[in-house]
Amino acid sequence: MTTQTPPRHAHSRGRRTWHLVRHYLEMVVAMVVGMAVLGPVEALLWPGVDDRVDVHAVVMATNMAVAMAAWMRFRGHSWPAIAEMSAAMYVPFAVLLVPYWAGAVSGSFLFTAGHVLMLPAMALAMWWRLDEYAGC
């Protein structure tokens, strides 16, 4: 009786996929940690920062980007990849701030849509440097 072993490319594809998924989940956790840890610090250093939704959105994006950048550097990622992943925190808000300032969308919409759009923005940043994120 012979046993079949899976082709090598099947194993490596699964491994690459796992690396992508793991990195993505690590970035989501880093975002949450950034908000949870740096949020109280921002409130202490800048009382009333959340009085303006637009300013608060950018500060929160910074909290998430700082935590993500620190974790990515710890994991050995390149500075360009860190910059691109950090930009994924800001780009959705940059796009949504214009309609917010024009009065076309509410502050609640700005916050919710900005956070939701970060997720595909992160995936796009990972796709841009697929070999770095999927490397084994």
Side-chain angles (χ1 to χ4, degrees), residues 38-122:
L38 297 176
V41 173
E42 96 191 15
L44 181 66
L45 296 177
W46 191 354
V49 68
D50 55 357
D51 292 346
R52 286 198 47 190
V53 173
D54 51 354
V55 174
H56 191 212
V58 174
V59 171
M60 186 173 288
T62 301
N63 292 344
M64 291 184 280
V66 165
M68 288 173 57
W71 185 248
M72 286 180 72
R73 196 61 193 157
F74 175 77
R75 299 280 279 148
H77 287 281
S78 69
W79 287 114
I82 293 169
E84 292 158 3
M85 190 63 74
S86 296
M89 300 298 96
Y90 295 101
V91 169
F93 287 122
V95 170
L96 293 167
L97 281 171
V98 174
Y100 171 74
W101 289 329
V105 299
S106 68
S108 176
F109 180 86
L110 169 74
F111 242 76
T112 303
H115 283 85
V116 169
L117 290 173
M118 285 177 187
L119 299 174
M122 289 168 42

